[in-house]
Amino acid sequence: MAERLRIYRELVRAQVRGQASYRLSFALDLLGNLLFFGSDLIAVLVVFRQVPALGGFSLRETLVVFGLAATGFALADLAVGNIERMKMYVRTGLLDAVLIRPLGVLGQLLALDVGVRRIGRVVYSMLLLVVALDAADVRLTPVRVLMLVLTPLSAAVFFCAFFVATSTVAFWWVESGELSNSLTYGGRDFTSYPMPVYGTWLRRFFGFALGFGFVSYYPSLVVLGRADPLGAPAWLSWSGPAVAALAATVAWLIWRTGVRHYRSTGS
Amino acid sequence: MAALIRTLGASGFRRFATYRQATVAATVTNSVFGLLRTYVMLAVSAAATATGAAAAGYSGEQLVLYVWAGQGLIGVVMLWGWTDLADRIRSGDVVIDLLRPVDPVFAFLAADLGRALYAVLTRFAVPIVTGALIFDMYLPRRPATYPLFLLSALLATVVSFACRFLANATCYWLLDYRGVGMAWAVFSGLCGGLFFPIRFLPDWAAALLWFGTPGPSLLQAPLDVLTERDGWAVQLGILGIQAAWAVLLLWLCRVVQRRAERRLVVQGG
């Protein structure tokens, strides 16, 4: 086990060295990630120029919801975001090379391209969360601090599960296009606003059936110290870790089935 | 000349007609984001109406049309995913284009218009129908709006093409397209009117974008024409701005292309 960990560590270290050696490209990528993250934030700010509150939530409260989701997503993107390139791995035959090595397939693929560049987004979203908490006048109590630590972590696990599960589509359908991303990124957009904004069935589908409601909205109610305008019980806010664990299990099962059913494209 | 346009256009049409799975995937993706954006816009409209004002002058039904027509237009004007020229520059194939008796800018444009025509029939039509089935969607009432919208969408495609061409052409000098491509994706989404209508911004910022950048000519222009937010005089004014940007940017494309060709000759490629 220790030997295996060492090999993974070496793989990651080689990646980091490789990415950092192209200085200009690395700097541009950091900047680009800031732009992308910034554009989501600007969209929320511009929308709130028109109205004092959305779905009963003020801008400052919405930014807490947004910040929690963004931090979780950024962490997940840092860890497993490159799994999106699964299609390419399948098409180019890289996956075949990985499969014959005596190491875990998923672990190898993740170590192949750790997104050091995406570290910027983690930093920005954490900063935003701190600013939002301050702006929304959140008084920190032990319970809220616990929630503030738990939520981004379980959100990250949850998003990781989605990245892995949706990338598995490539095992069956190589040219799946952006289809698999629409759920992951759609889910991220869903978590950026408070749930009462959305219509009933969209809330049921994204919020409960897929579980995105537990990524940021329900936990944020505890942090903001307010009740759910839709009347959900208070304990629901604490189900984030359980939902994340469930999502991770399902994703792992899907992944395992995918690897077993995988037939090379022959390239 | 007309035969040439037809041939190049038809090849663009055929090329994209073969990517059927990709078309389906893109349409589904656009519809998912259409749903999410519609609810945010409807919430904005409801909150604005409660305080006795329309959100930046759009009714809720107009915003529904704005969102779904916008999701459809992404594929027509093709904001993202065009790296044809950058790829050809990197691989060196671009040299072959220079041997042909057709101006490369013109050849790429003709193929792009063929692609846009295919997108109108597939990627534009589906989101409009989806949006109309699920929500109360505004339908244009003035007959003149329809031809004006078609013209505006055509101009938007030309402006978008010219922007993409210029962004791709930076490859002649930078060789790496990723940074520029990312900047273009963010710019077109934010300043093009996709993430939010430009009218949501303060007046001075909106004016700066309309006259200072080609951004609003990409999506905001055809969408404002279609939703009939303004009278026909303003509709014509919007078309005028778009036409000015189209001419200016196409001229820039030719200038840049000539410079790049000289550079290629100097390199002896």
Side-chain angles (χ1 to χ4, degrees):
Chain A
M1 193 63 202
E3 176 63 14
R4 279 198 164 196
L5 277 179
R6 197 187 60 76
I7 298 175
Y8 282 130
R9 212 168 45 229
E10 282 306 314
L11 281 172
V12 170
R13 191 175 296 162
Q15 277 297 322
V16 173
R17 264 205 308 274
Q19 289 180 27
S21 59
Y22 297 97
R23 292 265 165 74
L24 180 65
S25 179
F26 187 78
L28 277 176
D29 253 26
L30 275 180
L31 191 71
N33 274 308
L34 174 63
L35 280 175
F36 253 124
F37 174 74
S39 64
D40 288 345
L41 181 61
I42 291 172
V44 174
L45 293 176
V46 170
V47 161
F48 267 95
R49 255 184 51 80
Q50 295 297 317
V51 289
L54 218 50
F57 284 71
S58 70
L59 171 63
R60 287 158 184 210
E61 291 172 318
T62 303
L63 284 181
V64 172
V65 179
F66 180 96
L68 282 172
T71 309
F73 187 86
L75 283 169
D77 196 38
L78 177 68
V80 308
N82 73 298
I83 201 85
E84 275 181 307
R85 288 158 57 182
M86 193 61 171
K87 259 190 323 184
M88 195 193 78
Y89 296 155
V90 171
R91 203 173 39 221
T92 58
L94 180 75
L95 189 65
D96 299 19
V98 162
L99 276 170
I100 56 174
R101 288 185 202 149
L103 280 171
V105 180
L106 187 55
Q108 281 190 74
L109 286 182
L110 297 184
L112 269 177
D113 185 18
V114 177
V116 192
R117 307 172 169 117
R118 290 180 285 239
I119 244 172
R121 252 189 273 187
V122 177
V123 178
Y124 313 135
S125 50
M126 282 179 169
L127 276 177
L128 171 75
L129 183 56
V130 172
V131 172
L133 288 171
D134 182 55
D137 278 332
V138 171
R139 271 218 330 280
L140 291 177
T141 61
V143 171
R144 286 180 185 172
V145 170
L146 178 65
M147 190 57 111
L148 280 173
V149 174
L150 271 182
T151 303
L153 291 179
S154 46
V157 172
F158 186 87
F159 277 123
C160 282
F162 256 82
F163 268 117
V164 171
T166 52
S167 75
T168 314
V169 176
F171 284 128
W172 287 279
W173 187 10
V174 180
E175 282 309 320
S176 52
E178 322 148 59
L179 199 57
S180 49
N181 295 351
S182 67
L183 283 186
T184 315
Y185 287 88
R188 186 198 53 173
D189 280 15
F190 179 85
T191 54
S192 301
Y193 286 96
M195 284 234 293
V197 166
Y198 303 104
T200 316
W201 64 268
L202 196 69
R203 227 160 40 214
R204 284 192 190 135
F205 177 69
F206 266 106
F208 293 103
L210 294 180
F212 282 104
F214 305 96
V215 165
S216 64
Y217 174 66
Y218 284 114
S220 76
L221 294 176
V222 171
V223 175
L224 294 169
R226 54 177 291 178
D228 181 18
L230 300 168
W235 58 263
L236 216 55
S237 295
W238 293 95
S239 21
V243 172
L246 182 67
T249 313
V250 172
W252 183 70
L253 286 175
I254 295 177
W255 171 263
R256 218 183 46 173
T257 318
V259 171
R260 288 199 181 148
H261 284 243
Y262 169 67
R263 285 196 183 83
S264 172
T265 51
S267 45
Chain B
M1 197 63 164
L4 189 63
I5 298 179
R6 254 204 318 278
T7 313
L8 287 168
S11 80
F13 185 100
R14 266 201 312 278
R15 179 179 152 203
F16 280 84
T18 53
Y19 299 152
R20 253 172 247 131
Q21 288 189 348
T23 306
V24 172
T27 311
V28 172
T29 306
N30 287 345
S31 301
V32 170
F33 285 100
L35 278 175
L36 292 162
R37 286 202 180 112
T38 308
Y39 280 113
V40 173
M41 285 302 144
L42 283 178
V44 170
S45 180
T49 316
T51 59
Y58 300 96
S59 70
E61 293 178 358
Q62 282 173 317
L63 283 173
V64 170
L65 176 61
Y66 186 99
V67 169
W68 289 93
Q71 292 303 112
L73 276 177
I74 295 176
V76 177
V77 306
M78 194 170 194
L79 288 187
W80 304 310
W82 192 81
T83 57
D84 289 12
L85 178 62
D87 293 342
R88 288 183 80 76
I89 294 170
R90 248 201 320 268
S91 67
D93 289 345
V94 74
V95 178
I96 303 166
D97 299 339
L98 300 183
L99 298 175
R100 297 197 181 116
V102 196
D103 184 313
V105 177
F106 175 78
F108 275 116
L109 176 61
D112 200 57
L113 291 178
R115 177 205 58 73
L117 182 65
Y118 173 70
V120 168
L121 301 176
T122 52
R123 291 187 60 179
F124 181 70
V126 178
I128 292 276
V129 173
T130 313
L133 286 176
I134 303 177
F135 300 99
D136 288 331
M137 188 168 45
Y138 181 88
L139 289 178
R141 286 163 199 169
R142 305 196 288 260
T145 295
Y146 292 93
L148 285 180
F149 169 69
L150 283 181
L151 188 57
S152 180
L154 175 69
L155 285 170
T157 308
V158 174
V159 171
S160 160
F161 163 78
C163 290
R164 284 181 271 130
F165 187 96
L166 288 172
N168 271 250
T170 57
C171 246
Y172 280 116
W173 289 271
L174 301 176
L175 292 173
D176 186 31
Y177 180 65
R178 266 195 320 198
V180 178
M182 201 173 226
W184 158 247
V186 173
F187 168 80
S188 57
L190 270 183
C191 306
L194 178 67
F195 295 165
F196 49 81
I198 298 299
R199 303 276 177 106
F200 278 22
L201 291 167
D203 285 341
W204 61 266
L208 196 69
L209 287 179
W210 272 107
F211 295 104
T213 78
S217 297
L218 296 168
L219 285 179
Q220 180 77 34
L223 292 176
D224 270 352
V225 169
L226 187 65
T227 53
E228 295 181 334
R229 186 187 168 284
D230 319 284
W232 61 269
V234 178
Q235 285 182 326
L236 288 180
I238 289 173
L239 286 171
I241 297 176
Q242 279 188 294
W245 276 113
V247 171
L248 177 70
L249 289 169
L250 281 180
W251 173 77
L252 255 179
C253 285
R254 300 216 43 183
V255 172
V256 168
Q257 178 64 24
R258 264 200 300 272
R259 280 278 178 86
E261 281 168 16
R262 264 217 303 280
R263 188 181 142 83
L264 279 178
V265 173
V266 171
Q267 279 194 334

